[in-house]
Amino acid sequence: MKSNVLNKHIITTATIAAIAGLLFGFDTGIISGALLFLSASFKLTALTKGLVVSCLLLGALFGAALSGRIADYFGRKPVVITTAIVFTIGALGSTFAPNFVTLIISRIIIGVAIGIGSYTAPLYISEVAPVELRGSLVTLNQLMITIGILASYIVSLIFSTGGEWRLMFCVGIFPALLLGVGMFFLPESPRWLVMKQYSDKARQVLQKLRQSDDVSHELSAIEHSIPKSRPTLKDVFAPWARPVLFLGLGLSVLQQASGINAVIYYAPMIFKMSGFQGNVSSIMATVGVGIVNVIFTVISIWLVDKVGRRTLLLTGMVGLILCLLTLSDAFHHHQLAGQLKWITLASLLVYIACFAFSLGAMFWLLISEIFPLRIRSFAMGITVAANWASNILVSVSFLSLVKWLGTGNTFLLYAVFCMIGLVFCYRYIPETKGCSLEQLETNLLEGKRLAKIGA
Ligand code: BGC
């Protein structure tokens, strides 16, 4: 059989697993639309509104923290299938919630599923992907997140005329079912199979995924990188592993410190603050943000394995800083009042474009690549949990920051975080394009500098 890396098996496999990303985007995005109507149905106060938004994030934090262990123990495939079932239960619970407590419990359940899925899906994709396509295929997961966010904005718009928040939640059931059923037909990750000493099965899976009988080289590279014993917390914090953990955690916090979810969750409000009148124009502008997010994630998929991770990351971060400084300046100069809304719209559109092809896509990709196999699962779990914890901090503090510091200074603060991030990425981010996961691991163990482990 001839080797053909870009074949329908690998594309279908990655696309189905990436539906977990779609659920992530949809379920985090839908609350901004549903919240307006939930408030009326359940007579929510400011406090209980905050609870509805943050309980999902707390669930996700918990799910992500849990996921490293369970994906190693049970395998990537059963964990993603279970995640789909949990999603479905949570979505049904929120659709039919008879009272506020049921709604909160259901949102926590969805959060746990998002947390586990947000980690297991990119891990699975990176482990089935051939090296030439790994960047594009893992970034497919981020694309699905952005499509999920956009879908949630559109679904909110459609059902907002009748205030049907139950239908808004109900839509999430369909992709969850699709993920569960689709994943059932996919193979287990060959790397996990080797880890559990099912090398024959791993060979068959690789032959099918690569559409080639000649997979011995890849298989033996995987076999060599397999840990001899079960990883422990001590391994993750061992001196040789600390640099990559530092890299993953740094990127994770930075992604959120850029203020992305202040924009994703509060875009309609920011547009209103800048002078857009009425809900409809603000929501339309928000849909614009969602569309640009999707388009530039597609562009990053196309570019990532050509120009590389570092170039995209650094270019995007310079763009983020410029947009945030422009926004900050515009909100500081009230004399610009008439133009403020247009400056805000333009800056936020460019901001989201820059985020999409840099911190958005590259964070999920790099954390699925940089960790050696023996600690990959565990370390990714910790990194993703840190991402959710930072997400909670940024999204919960945004409104208070606007109140205490003013909108202009809040954007300035995010700009400062991005500047620190730019220096961090410039110094430490390796170019992993075209380097196999096993080679990255060897370079790290040989003590190469972080920025050079992809060389
Ligand atoms: C981030 C999310 C964010 C989304 C926006 C993801 O990479 O992890 O927190 O909402 O991008 O597209």
Side-chain angles (χ1 to χ4, degrees):
M1 231 188 295
K2 210 171 135 288
S3 171
N4 176 13
V5 286
L6 186 63
N7 62 68
K8 73 174 189 316
H9 286 287
I10 192 67
I11 295 188
T12 317
T13 305
T15 309
I16 291 175
I19 297 176
L22 189 126
L23 285 161
F24 170 168
F26 183 84
D27 281 298
T28 48
I30 197 71
I31 198 67
S32 54
L35 197 59
L36 284 171
F37 310 103
L38 286 172
S39 305
S41 296
F42 295 121
K43 313 252 174 316
L44 300 185
T45 61
L47 189 77
T48 46
K49 268 189 210 166
L51 194 64
V52 177
V53 176
S54 53
C55 67
L56 178 132
L57 301 176
L58 281 172
L61 170 60
F62 176 73
L66 202 84
S67 52
R69 281 282 176 180
I70 56 175
D72 265 0
Y73 191 80
F74 296 104
R76 298 14 175 169
K77 176 176 162 168
V79 169
V80 178
I81 295 179
T82 314
T83 301
I85 298 171
V86 177
F87 258 123
T88 313
I89 296 172
L92 282 170
S94 8
T95 304
F96 297 105
N99 52 42
F100 183 64
V101 176
T102 318
L103 179 72
I104 291 290
I105 295 174
S106 309
R107 293 290 292 168
I108 293 177
I109 292 176
I110 295 183
V112 174
I114 291 184
I116 300 177
S118 66
Y119 148 83
T120 318
L123 173 73
Y124 174 81
I125 299 172
S126 78
E127 290 185 345
V128 295
V131 59
E132 304 84 332
L133 295 176
R134 193 178 63 232
S136 307
L137 291 178
V138 177
T139 310
L140 200 65
N141 189 58
Q142 171 69 13
L143 176 65
M144 290 296 226
I145 297 178
T146 60
I147 293 178
I149 294 174
L150 177 61
S152 77
Y153 291 160
I154 295 174
V155 167
S156 300
L157 202 61
I158 295 173
F159 291 120
S160 58
T161 33
E164 289 135 343
W165 60 266
R166 290 183 193 278
L167 291 179
M168 295 182 191
F169 288 138
C170 182
V171 176
I173 295 171
F174 302 101
L177 290 176
L178 201 64
L179 174 66
V181 175
M183 208 57 210
F184 184 79
F185 294 100
L186 297 187
E188 182 48 89
S189 145
R191 284 183 172 79
W192 184 84
L193 288 169
V194 173
M195 202 155 81
K196 294 287 163 179
Q197 281 157 10
Y198 299 121
S199 285
D200 287 343
K201 181 80 189 124
R203 177 183 296 276
Q204 286 165 18
V205 170
L206 276 176
Q207 284 172 335
K208 186 160 181 203
L209 288 171
R210 305 288 177 262
Q211 295 285 284
S212 164
D213 287 336
D214 183 18
V215 293
S216 308
H217 187 67
E218 191 173 356
L219 191 63
S220 81
I222 297 175
E223 278 165 350
H224 272 97
S225 65
I226 293 298
K228 304 281 172 287
S229 55
R230 270 187 66 196
T232 61
L233 209 54
K234 229 171 100 194
D235 292 320
V236 181
F237 291 101
W240 65 268
R242 270 181 228 154
V244 261
L245 192 64
F246 160 77
L247 192 65
L249 287 174
L251 262 182
S252 159
V253 173
L254 267 174
Q255 195 207 40
Q256 297 298 326
S258 67
I260 181 61
N261 285 315
V263 175
I264 295 290
Y265 303 157
Y266 299 102
M269 239 176 99
I270 300 175
F271 284 125
K272 272 188 140 180
M273 292 190 296
S274 74
F276 278 90
Q277 305 288 324
N279 287 335
V280 176
S281 56
S282 306
I283 294 182
M284 295 292 270
T286 305
V287 171
V289 167
I291 293 174
V292 171
N293 198 8
V294 173
I295 294 176
F296 278 83
T297 307
V298 174
I299 294 179
S300 80
I301 293 187
W302 175 59
L303 287 179
V304 68
D305 286 319
K306 293 193 177 73
V307 304
R309 289 65 165 150
R310 243 181 97 86
T311 313
L312 287 180
L313 201 54
L314 296 177
T315 318
M317 292 198 66
V318 171
L320 288 178
I321 296 170
L322 293 177
C323 293
L324 287 165
L325 290 178
T326 310
L327 271 170
S328 166
D329 188 59
F331 272 95
H332 272 124
H333 293 91
H334 299 288
Q335 70 272 25
L336 283 176
Q339 302 136 346
L340 181 58
K341 63 178 181 182
W342 300 116
I343 299 179
T344 305
L345 180 62
S347 307
L348 282 187
L349 290 179
V350 181
Y351 168 92
I352 200 77
C354 292
F355 176 87
F357 71 77
S358 64
L359 281 174
M362 295 312 120
F363 163 67
W364 293 102
L365 174 58
L366 282 162
I367 64 159
S368 74
E369 298 182 326
I370 56 174
F371 299 116
L373 185 60
R374 76 178 80 176
I375 59 158
R376 184 172 304 146
S377 219
F378 216 159
M380 263 185 84
I382 297 177
T383 314
V384 175
N387 187 261
W388 284 108
S390 324
N391 185 341
I392 296 175
L393 268 180
V394 173
S395 44
V396 169
S397 64
F398 175 68
L399 293 180
S400 311
L401 285 178
V402 166
K403 207 165 123 198
W404 295 331
L405 304 177
T407 316
N409 284 336
T410 304
F411 286 126
L412 185 63
L413 185 67
Y414 296 145
V416 172
F417 289 148
C418 286
M419 287 175 200
I420 299 172
L422 183 62
V423 176
F424 176 89
C425 292
Y426 182 77
R427 288 199 58 160
Y428 301 117
I429 295 295
E431 182 49 81
T432 53
K433 178 186 79 164
C435 186
S436 75
L437 296 182
E438 289 70 31
Q439 186 60 50
L440 276 170
E441 179 164 344
T442 310
N443 292 345
L444 180 75
L445 293 175
E446 279 173 359
K448 284 199 176 169
R449 270 183 40 225
L450 269 184
K452 297 283 171 211
I453 58 170

